Every structure is written in C-alpha cells, then in structure tokens.
Amino acid sequence: QVQLVESGGGSVQAGGSLRLSCAASGHISRNTNYCMGWFRQGPGKDREEVANIYRGGDTARYADSVKGRFTISRDNAKNMLYLQMNSLKPDDTAMYYCAADYRPSGYCGGGVRTWNYWGQGTQVTVSS
C-alpha cells in the first residue's frame, strides 16, 4: 500500500506563488518504479492531470495549461513530491491531489483513471 499526504495549499492573489508538498509512505518508499503526479479538480470540472514524474528518472511532463509556470520535483531520499506554482491565475483554483502508481515500464501517461493511489487533496484558491 501507498499513503500520500498533501500540504501547502492556500489562498493567493493572481500572479502569486505556492509550493505544494506530498509526503509518501509505504511500498513506494522502497521502490523507484512508481510514477508520481499532481492532479487538480476545479469547481464543476473533471479531475485533470497537471504534471507527473517518474521516481526512477528525471523526465517530467506537464499539462499545456501550466507549462512554464509550474515545476514538479521529487526528493526520493525524503519520499517527497513537490509542485512549485508560479504566476498563478484564477483558473488554477482547484483542489490539488497527489497521486502515485506502480509503473515498472516508466510510462506515466494513461489518464486519471489509471492512477491507483491518491492523497486527500489540498485546496488552492487564486483571486483576481
């Protein structure tokens, strides 16, 4: 099993920055064959992928809507995942979720429904 706990959400004005953190525990702490990612779900919207990264590699992938503004990173020694969010916009307002999935192939794509482990979420609100 894998446990994920997010932190770092809050309220900011447009143009501001926030850094989300996700603490991982369980099997993932002993194995690098996991993808980790950040997802978000805004009011009345479907959950969407924001960014993902493989614990066993350095390649990160981003949704077009956040490219150049958000940076995903990980610290395997601390079992932490981060999302640095800069130049925030009101459209970034959402509940942000940390997710993980066991992927020996290293492929982190496949959509929201293919991810098996989820945190409880942390709210990000951006005001104009």
Side-chain angles (χ1 to χ4, degrees):
Q1 289 295 324
V2 173
Q3 294 78 43
L4 304 168
V5 179
E6 304 96 333
S7 61
S11 297
V12 295
Q13 290 191 324
S17 299
L18 280 175
R19 188 194 194 204
L20 305 184
S21 299
C22 173
S25 61
H27 184 254
I28 193 172
S29 65
R30 303 181 295 277
N31 194 311
T32 57
N33 291 331
Y34 276 84
C35 289
M36 297 193 76
W38 288 98
F39 294 74
R40 67 185 181 186
Q41 188 165 13
K45 298 180 181 179
D46 293 332
R47 190 169 298 189
E48 63 176 356
E49 186 167 339
V50 174
N52 68 56
I53 192 168
Y54 193 56
R55 275 177 57 90
D58 295 324
T59 301
R61 295 177 175 82
Y62 297 90
D64 288 343
S65 59
V66 306
K67 281 181 181 176
R69 300 189 298 123
F70 292 10
T71 302
I72 188 171
S73 62
R74 53 163 177 73
D75 185 334
N76 286 354
K78 296 181 179 179
N79 295 311
M80 295 293 294
L81 181 74
Y82 305 101
L83 185 68
Q84 178 66 44
M85 305 185 295
N86 298 328
S87 302
L88 283 161
K89 306 175 181 179
D91 282 349
D92 295 318
T93 294
M95 185 71 78
Y96 282 71
Y97 297 91
C98 175
D101 197 56
Y102 182 67
R103 305 277 183 99
S105 67
Y107 176 67
C108 297
V112 174
R113 297 182 184 275
T114 64
W115 293 71
N116 282 303
Y117 301 103
W118 295 87
Q120 81 288 352
T122 186
Q123 179 68 37
V124 171
T125 303
V126 185
S127 58
S128 58

